[in-house]
Amino acid sequence: MGKEIERKFLINASAWLAIQKPVGKLLRQGYILTDPNKTIRVRIADHTGWLTIKGISVGASRLEYEYEIPLAEAKELLDNFSEAELEKIRYEITYKGKLWEIDVFAGDNNGLVVAEIELLSEDEQFEIPEWVAEEVTHDKKYYNSNLTKHPFKDWA
């Protein structure tokens, strides 16, 4: 059974701008299903397609099944079955032995930057980089599926 344990954080903008970053990857992702209990997502990253099924979040954990699919099929699914999409640039930075994925959103979510870290257990200890600010793991408005329906540009 697939399980994802992930925590999300906002970024300290000035500290983020000051650090050296690796080359980011452009991600296009869309949702075939966005239900409070489950999502089905299609993503294109570089020249690879992915199909991901996620269950309801309980704490920082949820069921997750992810499969690589042919790029042409991913494009076809996004173009014909996606209810809503978003784009972002993803940066991967290893800090103190843990991989952080930092998403710089574009389009209707421009200006939003979120860092994610995947853990082996909910109580796993890790060090937080200086460019990481407030934790938003339990705030559903930061879920990517919700950002397609209620984008950052509309937050007041």
Side-chain angles (χ1 to χ4, degrees):
M1 189 178 308
K3 186 175 187 180
E4 172 188 58
I5 303 170
E6 179 181 82
R7 290 177 59 184
K8 290 180 181 262
F9 298 83
L10 296 179
I11 293 297
N12 175 317
S14 59
W16 171 248
L17 290 173
I19 70 166
Q20 179 104 10
K21 295 170 212 45
V23 174
K25 288 186 221 173
L26 176 63
L27 304 181
R28 175 186 174 202
Q29 66 186 45
Y31 291 85
I32 295 171
L33 176 67
T34 55
D35 177 277
N37 297 313
K38 57 189 168 270
T39 60
I40 300 175
R41 176 186 77 202
V42 177
R43 173 185 283 169
I44 294 175
D46 290 333
H47 303 290
T48 307
W50 300 91
L51 179 66
T52 306
I53 302 165
K54 295 187 180 199
I56 190 169
S57 293
V58 178
S61 302
R62 63 183 163 181
L63 295 177
E64 178 185 57
Y65 302 89
E66 188 164 66
Y67 307 96
E68 187 173 332
I69 61 174
L71 179 62
E73 290 180 19
K75 286 180 180 176
E76 196 170 289
L77 288 168
L78 284 168
D79 292 342
N80 295 296
F81 296 98
S82 176
E83 294 179 353
E85 288 189 31
L86 58 78
E87 285 192 348
K88 58 190 177 180
I89 305 274
R90 172 162 286 172
Y91 298 90
E92 294 182 348
I93 297 177
T94 301
Y95 181 81
K96 304 283 184 173
K98 295 300 290 181
L99 178 64
W100 289 81
E101 296 176 326
I102 300 87
D103 291 337
V104 178
F105 289 86
D108 288 346
N109 291 297
N110 189 46
L112 180 62
V113 183
V114 176
E116 300 174 347
I117 183 171
E118 287 200 23
L119 304 171
L120 299 173
S121 68
E122 291 233 9
D123 60 355
E124 180 179 348
Q125 299 298 306
F126 59 94
E127 291 191 47
I128 297 176
E130 62 280 354
W131 37 266
V132 170
E134 172 188 0
E135 183 167 6
V136 293
T137 300
H138 303 294
D139 191 337
K140 292 179 178 166
K141 74 181 179 183
Y142 292 99
Y143 290 8
N144 282 252
S145 58
N146 287 336
L147 289 171
T148 63
K149 295 177 180 181
H150 307 288
F152 185 65
K153 74 173 181 77
D154 294 340
W155 300 2

